[in-house]
Amino acid sequence: MYMPRETSEPVVWLVLGDKLGDNAQVEALAEALGWPVVRRHLNFRTPYVHGKPEFRPDLYHIDPETSDRLEPPWPDLILTIGRRPSMAALWVKQQSGGRTKVALIGRPKKHFDAFDLVVGTPQYHLPQRANVINLDLPLMRVDLNRLAEQRAQWQDALETLPRPLTAVLIGGPTKPFALDTEAMARLVARIEALQQDEGGTLYFTTSRRTPPEVADALLAALPPGARFFRWEPDAPGNPTTSNNPYLGLLAHADRFVVTGDSISMMVEVASLGRPLAIFPLPLRRQRLSRLRYGLRRLFQAAPRDLPKLHASLYRQDLAVPLGRSFRQPARIPQNERDRVVRHLEALMETQGITPETQGEDAIRRQRRRGYVRAGLGLVIYAALAVFAAVY
């Protein structure tokens, strides 16, 4: 049942999942939009905490006991991100008779027609469509108020260190890229060469995605005089997240090195106009992993392409590959949230009711096309696998 809104402003839901970086992009867009919002936080059943559910408008992957309820009155607009939350968002659209509009940040991979607006970012190869906006950078931005607070909190600890202060921000592995002890050894070697040439202080910090063995290897190989923070949530005897220097480093460091897996850290540094070097992670060595990655780029509608994001940052003079001289960006990148806001405002001004079955029909059509692509991809994949095994 759809209940008409009682206010002059649209009723907006933020349908959020368990990925903090994803949620931050939704929150940034909602802040720019300026309309009142209701947050609907979702948790997922055990098989789908890490596993990928079959995409369709549904709630079968949601844990109803720990998630916020999705019930009428339905919103006018949903802002969401990610596969699992967007499935719930399309289910709400279906329940509303198609009146609820759904704006997705990121890639739907398939089923573009089921969304009213898709906000694409450089790491995805999104097609040119009337309902797709392609941005130059993801919507992540640093909270400047929190940054000012952390600047004051870390003033004594960081401002007295020998300059330049280089913050080295470590992420974690992401398919098909590896962040293992070997990759970490290469990173440390490049950083040591940098310090020998220019001096100053190195400050390494890991994140929640950094594997324990990688953090151990980094700690054992720290260059002389380097500072180190190990991310461990509230573990006895270890630094806690309340001691995390990340925002303090954003406020005080002279330059940054970021592993190429972490979109949020790269974009947050770039959004502040700070000198940034990217350490691209190597592809996993397994031949099949490399084959899968190549096939995804060929046949998947919107594969996640981190090198494409790196290239976008280089092209805009917002970053350099690690090993080249740091460069002070000539400009702070334009905040493209206003552009997305204009599209959302126009979307809410449109009249008419979307048919209730629009989402399902679009998914059926694109699923059929997907079967054809998958069949062709399987044939090529099998041929390449045989070639790799023989040669």
Side-chain angles (χ1 to χ4, degrees):
M1 177 178 62
Y2 180 82
M3 298 182 182
R5 64 175 184 263
E6 298 177 355
T7 66
S8 59
E9 292 180 312
V11 176
V12 182
W13 282 8
L14 310 185
V15 176
L16 306 170
D18 54 0
K19 296 183 177 180
L20 300 181
D22 282 358
N23 293 346
Q25 293 192 67
V26 177
E27 294 282 1
L29 181 54
E31 179 184 0
L33 194 57
W35 294 336
V37 300
V38 176
R39 291 168 179 81
R40 292 288 184 258
H41 292 273
L42 303 180
N43 294 310
F44 306 102
R45 296 182 186 274
T46 301
Y48 307 114
V49 171
H50 300 292
K52 295 180 179 180
E54 179 188 355
F55 189 89
R56 62 175 186 264
D58 211 320
L59 302 181
Y60 73 91
H61 59 306
I62 304 298
D63 181 355
E65 300 299 323
T66 60
S67 297
D68 292 335
R69 297 180 65 85
L70 303 177
E71 57 188 11
W74 303 117
D76 301 294
L77 173 66
I78 290 178
L79 305 180
T80 192
I81 189 171
R83 180 192 193 102
R84 297 166 299 167
S86 65
M87 288 171 60
L90 289 180
W91 179 87
V92 170
K93 177 176 181 176
Q94 190 179 85
Q95 305 310 304
S96 74
R99 293 177 175 86
T100 295
K101 307 295 185 183
V102 178
L104 174 72
I105 301 172
R107 59 168 176 175
K109 296 185 181 179
K110 307 173 184 177
H111 320 312
F112 286 87
D113 295 339
F115 297 93
D116 299 280
L117 186 66
V118 176
V119 181
T121 48
Q123 69 269 30
Y124 302 125
H125 297 268
L126 296 185
Q128 297 294 325
R129 291 172 177 255
N131 64 334
V132 173
I133 308 173
N134 283 298
L135 305 181
D136 288 332
L137 286 177
L139 292 169
M140 299 156 182
R141 290 295 184 274
V142 179
D143 184 327
L144 295 181
N145 291 327
R146 286 192 63 203
L147 190 66
E149 293 172 359
Q150 293 293 303
R151 179 185 296 276
Q153 178 177 329
W154 287 89
Q155 178 79 27
D156 294 339
L158 298 179
E159 277 301 305
T160 57
L161 296 176
R163 297 286 169 162
L165 173 57
T166 304
V168 185
L169 311 178
I170 311 297
T174 180
K175 292 182 179 179
F177 300 99
L179 180 55
D180 52 20
T181 55
E182 184 178 338
M184 185 55 56
R186 289 202 296 273
L187 172 61
V188 171
R190 293 189 191 181
I191 294 293
E192 282 186 305
L194 178 72
Q195 188 183 34
Q196 287 174 0
D197 291 339
E198 303 184 25
T201 304
L202 300 174
Y203 204 128
F204 291 81
T205 175
T206 64
S207 66
R208 67 185 182 89
R209 295 192 304 106
T210 308
E213 65 274 12
V214 172
D216 290 341
L218 174 58
L219 181 59
L222 277 183
R227 303 299 180 94
F228 176 73
F229 170 80
R230 181 177 187 140
W231 193 97
E232 285 193 54
D234 303 318
N238 289 314
T240 65
T241 52
S242 63
N243 297 326
N244 194 326
Y246 176 69
L247 286 175
L249 289 169
L250 283 184
H252 289 281
D254 299 299
R255 57 198 189 179
F256 296 81
V257 176
V258 180
T259 55
D261 60 283
S262 180
I263 295 172
S264 61
M265 292 192 293
M266 287 186 291
V267 172
E268 286 177 348
V269 172
S271 71
L272 294 172
R274 313 300 292 279
L276 168 64
I278 298 172
F279 175 69
L281 298 185
L283 282 169
R284 294 180 179 180
R285 287 191 167 186
Q286 297 92 333
R287 289 177 176 176
L288 289 181
S289 293
R290 293 173 177 266
L291 287 172
R292 290 192 192 102
Y293 180 62
L295 287 171
R296 285 178 62 208
R297 297 187 67 175
L298 281 173
F299 293 101
Q300 191 170 309
R304 186 169 180 263
D305 189 346
L306 288 172
K308 188 171 185 283
L309 176 60
H310 303 167
S312 177
L313 290 167
Y314 302 152
R315 187 172 58 253
Q316 298 177 69
D317 291 326
L318 298 174
V320 296
L322 180 60
R324 295 189 183 177
S325 298
F326 282 94
R327 182 185 307 165
Q328 176 63 49
R331 63 180 181 88
I332 294 178
Q334 180 181 359
N335 191 332
E336 295 189 285
R337 290 184 299 178
D338 292 343
R339 180 178 162 210
V340 182
V341 166
R342 290 194 296 271
H343 279 78
L344 290 172
E345 291 172 341
L347 177 65
M348 299 313 298
E349 290 172 359
T350 59
Q351 300 297 320
I353 298 175
T354 305
E356 181 175 356
T357 58
Q358 180 215 10
E360 287 185 338
D361 289 345
I363 288 175
R364 290 193 191 99
R365 289 195 301 271
Q366 297 198 39
R367 184 180 290 144
R368 286 194 293 269
R369 291 195 291 268
Y371 291 152
V372 174
R373 287 196 301 269
L376 180 59
L378 184 61
V379 172
I380 296 176
Y381 177 79
L384 290 174
V386 171
F387 180 84
V390 173
Y391 297 97

